[in-house]
Amino acid sequence: MFFRGATLALFLCAFGTDQGLGQGLSHRGYLETAVTAYPQAAPGDSGRWIGQSLLRYEPSYKLTPGFRVQASFDARTDTHRQAQRNWDLSFWDRTTQWPAFAVRQLSASYSRGPLSLELGKQFVRWGKTDILNPTDRFAPRDYLVVVDNEFLGVTAARLTLASQSDSLDLVFTPRLTPSRIPLLSQRWVVIPPAARGLTLNDAGARYPGGPQYGARWNHQGRAFESSLSFFQGFNHLPLLDTKLMANPLRIDVTRNYAKIRMWGADVAAPLPWFTLKAETAWFQSDTQQAGEYVLYVVQLERQHGEWLFIGGYAGEQVTRRSSVLSFSPDRGLARSLVGRASYTIDTNRSVTFEGVARQNGEGFYLKFEYSHAFGQHWRLTGQAVLLRGSESDFIGQYHRNSFGAIKLRYSF
Amino acid sequence: MNSLKLCLWLAVTSSTLFGQSARDIVAEVQKRSQADSQRYEGLLQVIDSRGKTSEKQWIYERLGSHGKSKATIRFVAPAEVKGVALLVVSYPDRASDQWMWTPAINRERRIAMQDRRTRFFGTDFSFEDLEERDIDHHEYSMKGEEAIEGEPCWRIEARPRPGKKSQYTRSVIWIRKTNYTYAQMENYSEDKLIRRLKYRRMENVQGIWTARTLEMEDMTRSSRTILKLESLKYNLLLTDDQFSVQALRQG
């Protein structure tokens, strides 16, 4: 309740009705309606047609050249009970469903010379690669639809000191913002064959207390750009405690968040024929059930005429195995070859092809997208996603979830 | 015999003189357009081969000039690209570094720019066309005189110097005699005309004659892009801090 009040107060202060503020005020946003069709039903989820609408409004106000308040608000509904049906306004993003109304971002930033400070709910993105970002630790995601996810903001204080060639980023968050994982009753949670017939029950989450913090130093050299990063906090992706319960017979699933420490590095080097980007992170944990591992990505990128090609490999080296189930799309996408090609047809039209193939051959994902803008405001996007593989593989387990989608967006 | 020698001497010396004067003319153009910084609001119309028009708007800011500069381009329209920003750091001796800020993913991204032929956001300008030309990147030769839209111009051919990469094997530049400004530029790949750029609506802004309308025609696609420069200002007080990756994020 306090945060709802604080949110409203900050919003009113920032974007108040004083008409004199109009000059520094700008806004953008969109209304998007999407229809998704799944050709196959999934165990426990017979829904094959899903409609959803999202209204996103993003005002920002520049009080002085160095001081700015920015916000982003979402209102959402759908036909598949993925979105809540109440009037609550979510700030902390700890609901299992999409909140009907959410504060996606609400922060104030001040910059002067080499120093900039941002306070409030914001997006903190680290890393240089595109296909997977192991060092991107302040970037939880909404995985309700695993292969069509987006980032969640974190409530944080971020101080950046920058010179022309170097920058130091210091981030502090008072509490964890977890990634939103698929709903247990829906198709993006695949029940193992041995447990089929049992109901999965969401027994809630045990959120850890305490802050998280991290630092990243970035250097822009003549031949390459590189970073070193450190993070101390919690994994925003959960470990899953499962318990078989009677009356009624069910499996209770509880989400836990392991304490982690990350040491990371990334580099981008423009070379004559392509740009090399690489990123790696070593994860240690004091939580006994959690695994310890190294994730790394090497990708090559080349622009050729109107084509952009990105291809690479995401790898993993496990140093300690996890003793419990977890939901880990980042590790699930590791040990994979990843490629993406996009072509700009003209100023209004583009096509994108994307593919992921696990190196063991047990799962692959292909995506095709065509996007067409009409006039100044409208964009129509068609998507087709093919998922195949075996049930033991992170990607392969979703082999009944291939889908096609059409999205119509009105931007303002 | 003597008259033949005189003709040969005149032919050799005049071509040398024309060669020198071609570079001098381009040097004078560069000198007269020199500004420490620049800001304008760009209104861009892309007209495709079927006559369909789409529009974009951006705010352009530049610090430095002619081969050693930093520039940002921030899109303000259409609505779906509002907030997208590009930072270009140009160097005299190597390819530029470029980063793009995309609000939808809240992240800046280093752009692979091995191929400067790539069209800039689907317009008829390639990334190379938007880079400032430094006089030392080309060799120049005088090709005569020709009027463009009634204005007397020098016609100069520019070819990339050995070691300087360009998608164009040569460019033909028309420079107005009255004020040393570009009137038109034709860019060729071998003998094929690829793009034609027209410099129109000349205005003296703070002592610098500037084309307020640039029209780029892509001959291979039969499309053209018109860029209008509004609210143009030179020599503003801009600082290095405004041209960093951090500044790109802060908007």
Side-chain angles (χ1 to χ4, degrees), chain A residues 27 68 164 305 347 379, chain B residues 56 70 80 82 115 250:
Chain A
H27 63 96
R68 190 164 159 248
Q164 281 305 301
T347 187
R379 178 170 287 278
Chain B
K56 285 182 167 62
K70 295 175 179 180
E80 66 170 359
K82 192 174 177 179
D115 190 349
Q250 284 149 13

Side-chain angles (χ1 to χ4, degrees), chain A residues 182-399:
Chain A
L183 295 169
L184 296 181
S185 60
Q186 297 199 354
R187 65 167 62 233
W188 292 99
V189 170
V190 179
I191 304 169
R196 287 206 179 130
L198 296 173
T199 306
L200 294 183
N201 176 53
D202 185 353
R206 283 193 285 268
Y207 294 114
Q212 307 180 99
Y213 49 88
R216 181 173 186 250
W217 167 64
N218 188 63
H219 175 71
Q220 281 171 31
R222 185 179 162 86
F224 62 90
E225 184 180 347
S226 59
S227 298
L228 294 173
S229 52
F230 170 79
F231 169 85
Q232 174 82 51
F234 306 97
N235 195 344
H236 52 76
L237 295 163
L239 299 172
L240 303 171
D241 273 353
T242 54
K243 266 188 195 160
L244 185 62
M245 307 294 284
N247 294 327
L249 193 61
R250 66 185 192 277
I251 297 173
D252 276 2
V253 180
T254 308
R255 283 162 281 138
N256 292 307
Y257 296 88
K259 202 169 183 177
I260 58 167
R261 189 180 307 115
M262 181 216 73
W263 306 87
D266 53 70
V267 65
L271 303 170
W273 289 96
F274 47 76
T275 297
L276 169 72
K277 293 181 180 177
E279 192 170 327
T280 185
W282 176 33
F283 296 90
Q284 298 172 294
S285 180
D286 295 336
T287 306
Q288 286 305 308
Q289 302 100 315
E292 293 190 340
Y293 51 94
V294 176
L295 286 176
Y296 59 93
V297 178
V298 181
Q299 77 174 55
L300 299 176
E301 188 177 324
R302 177 168 169 84
Q303 186 91 41
H304 184 76
E306 306 318 313
W307 285 96
L308 173 66
F309 299 99
I310 297 174
Y313 177 76
E316 180 191 43
Q317 190 66 46
V318 178
T319 53
R320 186 179 81 193
R321 294 207 171 273
S322 171
S323 58
V324 293
L325 285 173
S326 64
F327 176 74
S328 305
D330 53 350
R331 299 180 67 187
L333 281 176
R335 302 183 188 200
S336 299
L337 291 162
V338 185
R340 185 185 296 159
S342 58
Y343 179 71
T344 306
I345 302 168
D346 57 34
T347 187
N348 291 325
R349 295 178 296 162
S350 64
V351 288
T352 304
F353 307 89
E354 192 174 293
V356 179
R358 300 299 299 274
Q359 72 182 50
N360 59 12
E362 296 199 343
F364 75 86
Y365 150 89
L366 288 174
K367 180 177 170 185
F368 168 77
E369 188 175 286
Y370 171 78
S371 191
H372 193 153
F374 298 90
Q376 290 287 294
H377 298 283
W378 294 95
R379 178 170 287 278
L380 185 68
T381 302
Q383 260 182 7
V385 173
L386 179 68
L387 291 151
R388 284 290 179 266
S390 73
E391 297 210 349
S392 59
D393 182 78
F394 179 81
I395 297 172
Q397 67 178 323
Y398 299 120
H399 61 88

